[in-house]
Amino acid sequence: MSRFAELRKHLFGGTTSNARQFGMIFTLVGIVALFEILTNGLTLNSGNLITLVSQYSYILILAIGMLMVIVAGHIDLSVGSVAAFVGIVVAKSMHTYHLPWPAAILLGLVVGALIGAWQGFWVAYVGVPAFIVTLAGMMLFRGGNQAIGNAETIAVPQGFRNIGAGYLWEVGPDTGYNNLTLLLGLLACAAVVVREWRARKTRQDLGAEPAPLWVSGLRLAIILAVIVFATLRFAGGRVGTSFPISGIILAVLVLIYSFITRNTAGGRHIYAVGGNSRAAELSGVKLRRVNFLVMVNMSALAALAGMIFIARASASGPQDGLNWELDAISAVFIGGAAVSGGLGTISGSIVGGLVMAVLNNGLQLLGVGSDQVQIIKGLVLLLAVALDVYNKRQGRFSVIDSIMRPFRGSTPIPVTPTPTPTGTEPAKTPVAG
Amino acid sequence: MSEAPVLLEMRSITKEFPGVKALSDVNLAVRAGEIHAICGENGAGKSTLMKVLSGVYPYGSYAGEIVYQGQEVRFSDIRASERAGIVIIHQELALVPGMSITENIFLGNEPRRLGRIDWKSANRKAAELMKLVGLNEDPDTLIKDIGVGKQQLVEIAKAFAKDVKLLILDEPTAALNENDSQHLLNLLRGFRERGITSIMISHKLNEIEQIADSITIIRDGRTIETLDVKGQGINEDRIVRGMVGRELSSRFPDHTPNIGEVFFEVSDWWVRHPVSAERMVCKGSSFNVRRGEIVGFAGLMGAGRTELAMSIFGRSYGTYLSGRIVKDGKEIELKNVADAIAHGLAYVSEDRKAVGLNLLDDIKTSVVAAKLSKISKAGVVDKAKEYQAAEGYRTSLRIKTPTVDEGVVKLSGGNQQKVVLGKWMFTDPDLLILDEPTRGIDVGAKYEIYGIIQRLADQGKGVIVISSELPELIGLCDRIYTVFEGTITGSIERRDADPETLMKLMTSTKKMQMS
């Protein structure tokens, strides 16, 4: 294995499904760099980064739930409407019924979960395809939003606005930076180092060969550099701004859900159901329960996203959440998930979502009209997936392998030569599958 | 026959894939009017060779030349080879389930008149073709409503609609029962008399021995030898030697059974078909398994063996009506798969790709998939334990793979089957039900699987083996139940088991005295 291939394997796990994710990280870096140059440094300045996070955190939260829905082999078209519905319920509960805002947040989550239970019931226990159930839900809850809110806009109180528009407090000595953000960055750095060290140790304990030291070192150096850079940018913004609360909510959710999908039996079951539901069933997985919970979870996250949005917009209105489902679904597919289910990662979807976000943001900074932004986003989605499908068809690997080929010293020979996929079941092609 | 001219010659065919040389310098000469068998273990390159021949891999993507009817041919795609009269019938049938027999026969090849499909002539021709292949059905019957055996015949009729000169069959009898297989073989004999040349790829050596005129053996992408069946008195052992490159002294490992008490008993088991309410798939079946015993279930396709097994395994098939399961002296109720696993049952399905494995998984996740609770605390999977478990089976079952991080889709059939076996051994079962455990697996791997089954029995587990291959049941099992149309018709001890006795019980409802 050449050094480059080795690096790829150790950095990103080396399995086929991660290949696109690897490609997308490159793409993300490329897009950021491109806009950084085109906008003369506006893209990566503190103010813009802070805006970027608070403006797109709710889409990324949706992408987390959507990833699990798509991995389980379904789709959810209703998330935008559900978010809007919960938004208006929460806004009205505070505005008209004077519910204290923490209770309102709780109410919103409960309403979201109930909506999810409603949709999950139809999907899991009645067997109506999720596409139909959520298409119905899309209309149902959009109508519900307008019915409850009389198609009017309802403002939300100040305390509530923090979850969408709030920042970390200014505390401690005057360092010229936001101290809490610095602390957060420091914690992140420590966590990354500890994690790397533990991963190496686990592999050694198992008697498996850990990644070469230089790979670990390089990986750490890159991640730490990114964290330090981001920390300084987020902490060094206009006084009173810093890393947004919504970004922190997002980060916590990413950590929790990455853990769930990767390390828990429940997470495994989602992949099993999407990969081969019959095999999962015959392995003792309770299909219905998995499908039900995935739908419940999605709507609960949609509720959260809806609340963050109205907090940021400081009011709930009839047009909230329009087309959110499309952004969330795009993020998941750009991030490497398969339409037929069973493949995809949380981190991939986040990267996919960030690609869309940076693209959107960068084009807006350049003053490109929203018509053209849409066209470009559509093409990017299509191309990202088409390129991967094309590469998959050419050979075993995707995007990244074709980039690698010239660098290969020696071609690794697979131990089990499968020249013809006689089973006619090639590895699922993301999206086209 | 040997004076017949050579119809097809493939010379020095070499085909490479990135990193793999699938074929290297392969030669094949097929005489006009013969049945030519191609034998080799899985992954030897048989299917690749046929794909080169039929233009799936177009001219230019391989080295070497193909001479057909005295001329060099360069096929650019399947259509080109079909125009020349070479038609390949793949293992996975290419039929549309929701279309009628006629529509399928002429799919992509519809007789046209003035731009419209000429159904009158299509129906007439379809009737002729169906007669030719001995298919007795209404041409308007939908494909999904006829059995696999008849579907295979539709495929052949489809080939004849294209004016075939050279018919290539890839594992044509793999999914067929004895009767249908025999019918198909007779059909091929009939074609031979009409001067049609056939190439047949098969793992069923007894069939090859019966029907083939010559045999070309391929091993590791190379031609090993071509045998002339008539002249040289070829038998199965001779073919196996060529395929594996060594003498397999016995097809089954030596084994002395150590059989204990009855520990698993099913009585008066009734199950209804999931869709049609009148059909019973299990009619009062009763059977038992002793510790350390390997129990076979023999029956023709559709006899209800798989249905019986799956209905016991947590009611995963049909509608349960009545019946009792007693395990270790206690009656148990298995309402779903999770219950069945918890009570120490394991079911290895007959179709490992469709229902046995998640082909997107890697080896380690597959191995632990049926009992995650064993390696998790509070729902969190301990990946170190997962890795160790998978490594354990990789060594003990000799799964050929560099690491357990490899995707199962990359493994050969035999190794995939070992992964499935490992997956169910991981659940610490007391009773393993193995449904066609060696289907589509080559000879060497079969031997190993038999060894694994015997080791499981020696650990005091009960093993049920469902198989369509009688020699396999007779060679492996301590006792064999015969099943006919949902009824258990007999229980034969190993010493009394011979193909005729079993076949008789597999084809009649008359119950024999239980021994």
Side-chain angles (χ1 to χ4, degrees):
Chain A
M1 220 189 304
S2 75
R3 285 208 142 190
F4 205 45
E6 194 172 7
L7 183 63
R8 182 202 70 213
K9 183 178 161 213
H10 289 296
L11 279 183
F12 299 98
T15 56
T16 357
S17 59
N18 286 340
R20 175 140 104 217
Q21 201 179 318
F22 184 72
M24 285 326 295
I25 290 176
F26 269 135
T27 312
L28 180 60
V29 171
I31 291 178
V32 170
L34 179 72
F35 282 118
E36 179 71 4
I37 294 165
L38 289 180
T39 58
N40 291 324
L42 267 179
T43 302
L44 285 180
N45 91 6
S46 295
N48 190 52
L49 279 180
I50 290 169
T51 314
L52 195 71
V53 169
S54 69
Q55 200 174 358
Y56 291 98
S57 55
Y58 49 88
I59 294 291
L60 294 175
I61 289 173
L62 289 177
I64 294 173
M66 193 64 79
L67 181 267
M68 290 191 277
V69 169
I70 286 173
V71 164
H74 307 294
I75 197 99
D76 192 334
L77 300 175
S78 69
V79 290
S81 296
V82 171
F85 180 81
V86 171
I88 201 82
V89 168
V90 169
K92 195 154 183 178
S93 75
M94 289 185 292
H95 185 265
T96 314
Y97 302 99
H98 306 292
L99 207 63
W101 65 265
I105 291 176
L106 212 62
L107 171 75
L109 290 175
V110 170
V111 171
L114 284 176
I115 292 173
W118 158 262
Q119 306 204 107
F121 164 75
W122 292 104
V123 172
Y125 294 97
V126 183
V128 180
F131 187 93
I132 305 298
V133 172
T134 59
L135 185 62
M138 187 178 175
M139 302 184 233
L140 246 164
F141 298 111
R142 174 65 55 194
N145 165 292
Q146 290 163 4
I148 289 177
N150 275 331
E152 283 167 6
T153 302
I154 300 178
V156 296
Q158 191 54 50
F160 183 81
R161 288 182 198 172
N162 276 330
I163 64 166
Y167 299 100
L168 287 174
W169 313 266
E170 298 285 354
V171 288
D174 183 8
T175 50
Y177 289 105
N178 178 288
N179 292 326
L180 282 177
T181 306
L182 290 182
L183 190 66
L184 208 63
L186 207 63
L187 280 175
C189 288
V192 167
V193 174
V194 169
R195 187 164 169 265
E196 180 71 28
W197 180 75
R198 282 182 56 181
R200 286 186 68 83
K201 197 166 171 298
T202 325
R203 278 192 82 80
Q204 266 163 350
D205 288 350
L206 286 173
E209 188 194 344
L213 211 56
W214 68 268
V215 171
S216 281
L218 185 60
R219 170 163 50 194
L220 272 182
I222 293 173
I223 297 177
L224 291 181
V226 170
I227 294 177
V228 168
F229 176 79
T231 305
L232 292 179
R233 283 295 155 116
F234 280 112
R238 185 165 52 79
V239 177
T241 66
S242 67
F243 196 65
I245 303 281
S246 58
I248 293 173
I249 297 175
L250 171 67
V252 170
L253 289 175
V254 167
L255 290 177
I256 293 174
Y257 280 98
S258 293
F259 183 79
I260 290 176
T261 51
R262 288 164 54 174
N263 293 309
T264 67
R268 285 285 173 88
H269 289 170
I270 300 175
Y271 285 87
V273 167
N276 185 340
S277 63
R278 192 74 182 124
E281 202 177 7
L282 285 177
S283 303
V285 174
K286 299 202 163 96
L287 279 190
R288 289 176 174 171
R289 192 191 294 175
V290 170
N291 288 334
F292 179 76
L293 290 179
V294 161
M295 296 308 288
V296 171
N297 178 66
M298 175 76 259
S299 292
L301 286 177
L304 182 59
M307 290 190 282
I308 290 176
F309 178 79
I310 59 167
R312 182 167 184 273
S314 62
S316 167
Q319 298 299 318
D320 293 355
L322 228 45
N323 293 338
W324 283 9
E325 56 280 346
L326 303 183
D327 284 336
I329 293 169
S330 308
V332 171
F333 286 136
I334 291 181
V339 161
S340 45
L343 280 182
T345 58
I346 298 279
S347 47
S349 304
I350 296 299
V351 172
L354 285 176
V355 167
M356 289 301 243
V358 171
L359 202 64
N360 227 345
N361 171 273
L363 289 171
Q364 275 169 7
L365 287 181
L366 288 175
V368 176
S370 73
D371 49 347
Q372 288 166 48
V373 171
Q374 293 229 32
I375 292 173
I376 293 172
K377 274 165 70 181
L379 287 175
V380 166
L381 171 65
L382 189 62
L383 283 179
V385 177
L387 187 67
D388 201 74
V389 170
Y390 174 77
N391 281 300
K392 269 249 159 82
R393 202 171 296 155
Q394 295 305 301
R396 290 255 343 111
F397 262 77
S398 61
V399 187
I400 208 55
D401 222 38
S402 54
I403 303 172
M404 297 299 170
R405 215 158 281 147
F407 299 95
R408 280 237 174 95
S410 60
T411 341
I413 295 167
V415 171
T416 42
T418 42
T420 51
T422 36
T424 63
E425 267 143 329
K428 260 180 204 176
T429 313
V431 170
Chain B
M1 195 71 75
S2 53
E3 301 89 52
V6 172
L7 174 75
L8 168 80
E9 201 176 351
M10 297 179 80
R11 290 183 193 145
S12 312
I13 303 290
T14 299
K15 167 83 188 162
E16 283 182 60
F17 294 97
V20 193
K21 207 168 197 179
L23 296 174
S24 108
D25 199 18
V26 171
N27 293 294
L28 173 72
V30 180
R31 294 182 180 280
E34 72 168 352
I35 298 177
H36 195 112
I38 298 181
C39 295
E41 294 195 278
N42 285 348
K46 296 162 297 186
S47 296
T48 312
L49 185 66
M50 289 306 107
K51 283 184 180 165
V52 167
L53 174 56
S54 58
V56 173
Y57 300 131
Y59 176 78
S61 71
Y62 58 88
E65 57 177 7
I66 303 174
V67 177
Y68 176 66
Q69 293 181 316
Q71 278 176 342
E72 199 198 336
V73 287
R74 300 174 171 189
F75 298 131
S76 54
D77 54 20
I78 303 187
R79 286 188 154 266
S81 68
E82 284 183 350
R83 269 197 298 276
I86 300 177
V87 180
I88 183 162
I89 297 179
H90 291 282
Q91 204 171 339
E92 285 84 16
L93 301 179
L95 299 172
V96 184
M99 286 185 162
S100 73
I101 295 178
T102 310
E103 284 171 314
N104 268 286
I105 288 179
F106 294 104
L107 190 63
N109 188 26
E110 295 86 356
R112 265 168 248 225
R113 252 181 75 180
L114 306 169
R116 292 173 54 195
I117 298 181
D118 181 358
W119 285 116
K120 227 164 94 187
S121 102
N123 278 321
R124 189 162 26 80
K125 254 180 100 181
E128 275 171 36
L129 291 167
M130 285 166 64
K131 206 173 147 209
L132 178 81
V133 299
L135 179 60
N136 221 343
E137 283 285 342
D138 182 343
D140 289 332
T141 316
L142 301 186
I143 289 296
K144 64 179 164 64
D145 296 331
I146 60 176
V148 170
K150 288 181 173 172
Q151 290 178 0
Q152 184 73 262
L153 296 178
V154 174
E155 270 287 2
I156 295 175
K158 193 172 152 188
F160 276 88
K162 291 171 187 157
D163 194 21
V164 62
K165 290 194 188 74
L166 174 62
L167 184 65
I168 304 167
L169 301 126
D170 191 354
E171 294 279 359
T173 60
L176 304 191
N177 62 35
E178 301 269 332
N179 281 342
D180 287 345
S181 301
Q182 217 49 51
H183 177 80
L184 187 78
L185 296 182
N186 286 334
L187 201 62
L188 290 182
R189 285 199 188 94
F191 294 161
R192 175 167 60 192
E193 274 154 34
R194 295 156 144 265
I196 290 164
T197 316
S198 312
I199 295 179
M200 176 169 157
I201 297 177
S202 179
H203 278 132
K204 296 194 179 170
L205 301 183
N206 57 337
E207 292 177 356
I208 288 177
E209 191 189 338
Q210 269 181 53
I211 195 172
D213 299 303
S214 1
I215 302 169
T216 294
I217 295 175
I218 296 179
R219 187 168 77 222
D220 303 329
R222 292 166 199 280
T223 326
I224 299 303
E225 55 191 343
T226 295
L227 305 167
D228 183 355
V229 178
K230 295 278 158 0
Q232 296 173 358
I234 300 300
N235 59 21
E236 285 184 44
D237 291 342
R238 176 68 188 81
I239 305 175
V240 169
R241 191 173 22 158
M243 281 166 61
V244 300
R246 63 181 188 277
E247 199 87 49
L248 268 186
S249 52
S250 165
R251 304 260 291 277
F252 300 93
D254 284 330
H255 181 237
T256 320
N258 179 13
I259 297 175
E261 293 297 303
V262 170
F263 79 105
F264 187 84
E265 209 167 356
V266 171
S267 45
D268 204 24
W269 193 256
W270 287 83
V271 175
R272 204 171 61 197
H273 190 271
V275 185
S276 91
E278 317 80 88
R279 264 180 73 192
M280 292 293 158
V281 288
C282 299
K283 302 172 186 163
S285 309
S286 301
F287 66 91
N288 59 50
V289 183
R290 286 171 277 191
R291 288 209 172 270
E293 188 181 32
I294 304 175
V295 176
F297 272 78
L300 300 174
M301 193 150 286
R305 296 162 302 166
T306 298
E307 291 79 356
L308 172 63
M310 290 183 75
S311 66
I312 288 167
F313 188 65
R315 303 183 188 170
S316 26
Y317 181 89
T319 313
Y320 165 83
L321 293 179
S322 66
R324 275 158 41 94
I325 301 176
V326 175
K327 182 168 171 268
D328 294 321
K330 263 183 283 178
E331 179 163 357
I332 54 173
E333 211 176 343
L334 310 175
K335 284 190 181 151
N336 54 46
V337 175
D339 285 351
I341 294 173
H343 277 102
L345 265 69
Y347 171 70
V348 175
S349 78
E350 60 180 325
D351 192 339
R352 63 180 165 270
K353 281 184 181 144
V355 301
L357 283 173
N358 177 356
L359 293 172
L360 301 174
D361 269 346
D362 50 31
I363 296 169
K364 57 181 182 341
T365 30
S366 302
V367 165
V368 298
K371 200 149 189 173
L372 277 174
S373 58
K374 195 169 150 187
I375 52 158
S376 38
K377 252 188 222 149
V380 177
V381 178
D382 185 334
K383 293 200 171 176
K385 284 187 184 157
E386 167 185 82
Y387 185 85
Q388 281 162 343
E391 268 299 318
Y393 289 115
R394 181 172 83 101
T395 336
S396 67
L397 303 183
R398 305 209 295 144
I399 300 168
K400 276 183 216 142
T401 172
T403 72
V404 292
D405 297 318
E406 206 72 54
V408 288
V409 76
K410 285 190 181 171
L411 299 177
S412 69
N415 283 305
Q416 280 181 351
Q417 188 69 342
K418 288 180 190 170
V419 171
V420 182
L421 282 173
K423 166 177 168 181
W424 288 104
M425 287 158 74
F426 181 74
T427 65
D428 303 316
D430 297 317
L431 176 74
L432 283 107
I433 307 173
L434 311 179
D435 200 346
E436 302 284 0
T438 63
R439 172 177 289 173
I441 290 176
D442 56 56
V443 181
K446 272 187 186 176
Y447 188 85
E448 287 187 56
I449 302 263
Y450 296 145
I452 295 169
I453 293 174
Q454 291 169 343
R455 285 210 301 278
L456 287 167
D458 290 342
Q459 290 164 17
K461 302 179 189 305
V463 184
I464 290 177
V465 176
I466 299 173
S467 174
S468 295
E469 289 179 45
L470 288 181
E472 174 170 289
L473 289 175
I474 294 168
L476 184 67
C477 298
D478 302 312
R479 194 154 54 98
I480 300 171
Y481 282 104
T482 51
V483 184
F484 175 72
E485 290 188 347
T487 311
I488 293 185
T489 54
S491 164
I492 311 292
E493 291 293 328
R494 178 184 199 125
R495 58 177 182 278
D496 304 324
D498 60 74
E500 290 90 81
T501 315
L502 291 174
M503 193 47 93
K504 247 179 247 163
L505 288 165
M506 284 157 58
T507 48
S508 85
T509 40
K510 214 185 283 173
K511 282 210 185 190
M512 219 188 72
Q513 207 61 45
M514 294 276 185
S515 51

